Amino acid sequence: MIFQLSEILPELPDNWTQIAISLVALAAAAWIADWIASRFLHRLLARVTRRTRSTWDDRIVEHKVIHRLAQVVPALVIFVGIGPALGIADAVAGGANPEPLLLAWTFVRRVAAAWIAVAVVRALAAFLDAVNDIYKEASPLSKSRPIKGYLQVVALIAYLAAGVVVISILAGLSPVVFLSGVGALAAVLMLVFRDTILSLVASVQIASNDMIRIGDWVSVPQASTDGDVIDIALHTVKIQNWDKTISTIPTHKFISESFKNWRGMSESGGRRIKRSLRLDMNTVRFLDEAQIEELSRRELLHDHMHDMRERVERYNAAKAEGNPGVIPEIRRLTNLGTFRVYVQKYLEAHPKTHKEMTVLARQLAPGPQGVPIEVYCFSNDTAWANYEGFQADIFDHLIAVLPEFGLRPFQSPAGTDFTKAMGGGAVSGPAQKAATPVSETSPVGSATRVSNPSPEG
């Protein structure tokens, strides 16, 4: 019901000045109550919590639970004192028309009650945030069993309930009236809260199956995300990529789509190295006696070469006793096979190789880009920088040792290779002329090898 100002003013009581003074006094009392509750009491509790050894009370103060709950006090003072301030009882007893006062009394009480409901639910939400921080600090299971998503569900339900209560208070109706219409709006609510329902179910499955934890390294190809999990909430999972950007992925995506969790690698203590070194097949050949003697002197191949020579000699001796008119198919050592054994021994002896995991050097199928020798092992250091350094050291050494086995790595021809094939030399220009001595008796432009070139060239 809407009253015009002209209709209200004539009906004001005669003691309106006393009512105005009472309202000012009520406002002052509410302000004093708010100051005592939200400032004085809050500061007092903050000082007390700083002196205690426990941390749970510090988290409650940090999230301003008491401060938000203190906002109930001034609203409660107004809710209780608005009746006496307006003199409702005296107006009714004196026979005056109390309708304007009753209207003001009802409106103020409803607003105060609605404010109390809002303050309580905000304090509850802050308390739930504090509970999450306390759980993360006190429980070692906080990374594998986060409860932030469940607490957010409780907070969401509390906000929905508070919304129903506030509307019912302001409308002057029972909350049951609004709740009875929820059934008719179920389809709309399912549509509006679709992501929340999916995320809630996903959070339960993630927690029960221990799929991801805070601190896990995960890769989500569909979202171009690769990094550490820094937060698991009801609706989203935050991942800090290696370039320090933050990716936010819906929680239910970890149930509906595939992703890779590297936690198993971190917990195992070994990180896999799987990389191939491609060799030129034109350099594969049998070893002669001089090469066998030279390679037998290497520490990693000494025992292997000794055993293999005995086996080959016994096998070939048995073959020699056959038909003298037939050339026997004897066994001979190859530089490629010996190199593969060397790689195996080198990996097994390396101090940074995880000895309890697979250590393997194998030959893959030859192809247009040569014959691959694959290194398959695990580093005992899972840190990214250390792992990459170990992997690089392995292949630096293997590439450098190839000439000792008479092998050459395969690589696609570069521009200098075509220049060589055309007779132009590997490098042209002043640098090449200064680096290559020229004989006085040779044709101009033809380079000859000299044992001791002069500094002047």
Side-chain angles (χ1 to χ4, degrees):
M1 181 179 299
I2 301 176
F3 294 91
Q4 297 295 332
L5 185 62
S6 59
E7 298 177 356
I8 297 177
L9 290 179
E11 299 179 2
L12 290 176
D14 297 334
N15 59 343
W16 64 270
T17 55
Q18 182 180 356
I19 294 176
I21 296 174
S22 300
L23 291 176
V24 172
L26 179 62
W31 181 85
I32 295 174
D34 178 68
W35 183 85
I36 294 175
S38 62
R39 296 186 181 182
F40 177 76
L41 184 61
H42 180 74
R43 294 177 180 177
L44 178 62
L45 291 176
R47 293 179 180 178
V48 173
T49 55
R50 282 195 295 266
R51 297 179 180 180
T52 59
R53 295 182 178 180
S54 58
T55 59
W56 64 267
D57 49 358
D58 297 329
R59 303 291 85 79
I60 292 179
V61 172
E62 288 177 3
H63 288 276
K64 299 182 179 180
V65 177
I66 305 301
H67 178 74
R68 294 186 179 185
L69 192 61
Q71 296 177 359
V72 174
V73 177
L76 189 61
V77 171
I78 294 177
F79 181 84
V80 175
I82 188 64
L86 294 177
I88 299 296
D90 296 337
V92 174
N97 183 12
E99 185 173 351
L101 298 178
L102 287 175
L103 179 62
W105 174 74
T106 302
F107 176 77
V108 172
R109 281 175 61 91
R110 289 181 181 180
V111 172
W115 180 260
I116 292 174
V118 172
V120 169
V121 74
R122 292 181 71 245
L124 176 61
F127 176 74
L128 294 177
D129 293 336
V131 169
N132 182 58
D133 290 347
I134 295 170
Y135 173 73
K136 289 193 296 185
E137 292 179 357
S139 176
L141 298 176
S142 58
K143 291 186 177 181
S144 59
R145 295 288 188 273
I147 62 172
K148 185 175 181 179
Y150 305 112
L151 296 178
Q152 288 181 333
V153 172
V154 176
L156 178 61
I157 295 175
Y159 274 113
L160 292 176
V164 173
V165 171
V166 168
I167 295 175
S168 62
I169 290 175
L170 295 177
L173 299 175
S174 173
V176 179
V177 177
F178 294 93
L179 294 176
S180 61
V182 172
L185 298 177
V188 177
L189 293 176
M190 291 289 291
L191 180 62
V192 172
F193 296 102
R194 171 182 173 274
D195 292 338
T196 301
I197 296 173
L198 290 176
S199 299
L200 175 60
V201 175
S203 298
V204 174
Q205 293 180 349
I206 289 174
S208 60
N209 297 322
D210 196 17
M211 298 174 64
I212 55 174
R213 304 175 185 172
I214 295 177
D216 283 355
W217 170 17
V218 297
S219 300
V220 187
Q222 298 86 346
S224 300
T225 300
D226 189 16
D228 291 335
V229 178
I230 59 176
D231 184 53
I232 302 176
L234 174 62
H235 295 92
T236 57
V237 175
K238 292 183 179 180
I239 299 175
Q240 185 177 44
N241 299 302
W242 302 126
D243 58 357
K244 300 306 179 182
T245 58
I246 305 296
S247 295
T248 303
I249 301 177
T251 306
H252 62 85
K253 293 292 184 180
F254 287 88
I255 301 299
S256 60
E257 298 180 1
S258 61
F259 68 97
K260 181 184 291 186
N261 192 332
W262 295 83
R263 186 201 313 157
M265 179 272 296
S266 302
E267 293 178 348
S268 66
R271 188 167 180 177
R272 188 184 70 173
I273 296 175
K274 185 181 179 183
R275 182 179 291 183
S276 298
L277 178 62
R278 298 183 179 274
L279 306 179
D280 189 349
M281 287 186 285
N282 294 323
T283 60
V284 179
R285 57 180 56 90
F286 292 110
L287 296 175
D288 55 27
E289 285 299 324
Q291 292 173 327
I292 293 176
E293 289 293 339
E294 180 65 24
L295 293 175
S296 298
R297 297 173 58 186
R298 302 188 69 93
E299 178 184 0
L300 297 178
L301 293 175
H302 178 74
D303 296 337
H304 169 76
M305 298 299 289
H306 178 72
D307 295 340
M308 289 303 299
R309 289 183 69 175
E310 291 183 352
R311 294 181 187 179
V312 169
E313 289 175 358
R314 288 196 301 266
Y315 181 85
N316 294 340
K319 283 287 187 177
E321 297 176 357
N323 189 347
V326 178
I327 299 177
E329 188 64 34
I330 63 175
R331 293 182 62 182
R332 300 174 64 183
L333 298 179
T334 64
N335 59 349
L336 180 60
T338 305
F339 174 72
R340 178 176 54 81
V341 174
Y342 173 80
V343 175
Q344 179 76 27
K345 300 294 184 180
Y346 175 76
L347 295 176
E348 292 175 352
H350 202 289
K352 293 186 179 180
T353 304
H354 203 298
K355 303 303 185 294
E356 298 180 0
M357 297 184 179
T358 304
V359 178
L360 181 64
R362 60 174 182 165
Q363 181 184 138
L364 302 181
Q369 295 182 344
V371 54
I373 298 296
E374 183 183 76
V375 172
Y376 190 100
C377 65
F378 290 82
S379 168
N380 57 17
D381 192 342
T382 59
W384 188 11
N386 299 335
Y387 161 79
E388 292 292 348
F390 172 48
Q391 184 173 228
D393 289 342
I394 290 177
F395 283 88
D396 289 348
H397 176 79
L398 296 182
I399 293 174
V401 83
L402 281 177
E404 300 185 19
F405 291 85
L407 295 170
R408 185 172 60 244
F410 178 90
Q411 63 181 7
S412 299
T416 54
D417 297 319
F418 290 110
T419 304
K420 284 183 179 180
M422 297 174 63
V427 181
S428 62
Q432 174 66 15
K433 294 178 181 179
T436 305
V438 180
S439 173
E440 295 180 357
T441 58
S442 63
V444 177
S446 63
T448 61
R449 181 182 298 175
V450 295
S451 57
N452 294 311
S454 63
E456 292 81 5

